[in-house]
Amino acid sequence: WADNGSNTQARSLSSAGGGARGADPFEQRKTVSSIKEEQLGYNEKPDWLSFKATITFLKKDKAGDEGAWYTACFNSGDPCKNMFKATQTSDGFFHCDKCQQTNEKCVRRFIFSGTVADDTSTSWVSVFNEQAENMFNGVKADELYEKLAEGDRDSYDSTFAKASCTEWIIKCKVKQEHVGDESRVKTSIVSLTPIDYAAESRNLLAALGV
């Protein structure tokens, strides 16, 4: 789903942008079940919510590809900024429809799906490059690509395995998307904040009036 075909207008596959990047304050947090219970994503504009949840599954394999990423334009300046998809040509170069440049190299950027859960529900989420690097303690997609190219599948698998079952304060954007004649509500992670358990305890006690 990172590439909808050669006739699709070039677009950024990064989740950068939007009006809500950081996690909400403790008292404004919701639960995973709120996505369905409050029918989030059906408004004209995206809905945003934060919750504390555990990453329960990460889809690390993609059909016909060697890893959970897409090949982005090597141009780090405007208008691409390493975000728009670059398609590999028959001669092994990478062409970007956005800037109309062809380069010998590309920049690989994470894009995959997964599930998150709390004690109320489980939800599928989309994970993009910045959040994946945070989840993987700074490991970049190009680094994992090199590991796979060297035949080191274990490093690739272990990077995803270490991120599974970790708990975060997660901020998501929820928006309905239309693909052909079908529509679906897509939940995308826009920020991951490590949990400060001491602060969590203080906030919980304050909420209970203790």
Side-chain angles (χ1 to χ4, degrees):
W1 48 284
D3 181 12
N4 290 326
S6 59
N7 294 326
T8 302
Q9 183 180 1
R11 62 187 178 90
S12 168
L13 297 183
S14 169
S15 66
R21 294 283 293 178
D24 294 324
F26 180 85
E27 63 273 9
Q28 294 180 17
R29 278 192 220 152
K30 297 180 180 290
T31 60
V32 175
S33 63
S34 299
I35 298 173
K36 291 185 177 179
E37 290 175 353
E38 299 182 17
Q39 295 186 319
L40 301 182
Y42 291 98
N43 298 309
E44 183 177 350
K45 294 182 179 181
D47 290 310
W48 307 81
L49 79 161
S50 293
F51 47 74
K52 183 172 73 171
T54 300
I55 296 170
T56 53
F57 171 72
L58 296 174
K59 188 174 173 25
K60 66 182 187 297
D61 299 311
K62 292 196 301 183
D65 197 0
E66 67 279 328
W69 46 67
Y70 70 97
T71 52
C73 181
F74 193 69
N75 178 14
S76 60
D78 291 330
C80 297
K81 297 183 179 179
N82 298 140
M83 292 192 295
F84 287 84
K85 182 170 175 62
T87 303
Q88 190 167 22
T89 60
S90 59
D91 55 4
F93 289 81
F94 294 89
H95 177 75
C96 175
D97 288 337
K98 179 67 176 179
C99 66
Q100 292 298 310
Q101 291 185 16
T102 300
N103 292 284
E104 294 183 9
K105 299 180 180 180
C106 68
V107 175
R108 289 169 180 82
R109 293 174 63 86
F110 288 114
I111 183 170
F112 54 87
S113 58
T115 58
V116 297
D118 60 11
D119 58 0
T120 68
S121 187
T122 299
S123 176
W124 280 95
V125 293
S126 296
V127 184
F128 294 91
N129 191 68
E130 290 80 3
Q131 292 72 42
E133 289 181 0
N134 190 11
M135 190 184 297
F136 297 152
N137 292 317
V139 175
K140 298 183 180 296
D142 277 326
E143 296 176 35
L144 290 187
Y145 169 78
E146 292 296 333
K147 292 291 185 181
L148 283 180
E150 295 167 359
D152 186 1
R153 177 78 190 192
D154 288 343
S155 291
Y156 179 82
D157 290 341
S158 66
T159 299
F160 281 81
K162 289 176 183 176
S164 299
C165 300
T166 55
E167 194 175 34
W168 303 80
I169 306 300
I170 303 174
K171 180 122 192 183
C172 289
K173 178 179 75 172
V174 188
K175 182 174 176 57
Q176 188 176 38
E177 291 190 344
H178 299 279
V179 180
D181 295 330
E182 297 183 1
S183 62
R184 62 173 181 172
V185 173
K186 181 178 179 180
T187 302
S188 302
I189 295 178
V190 297
S191 75
L192 289 167
T193 304
I195 296 177
D196 181 339
Y197 287 99
E200 286 290 296
S201 297
R202 291 194 298 270
N203 288 330
L204 184 58
L205 290 173
L208 295 174
V210 177

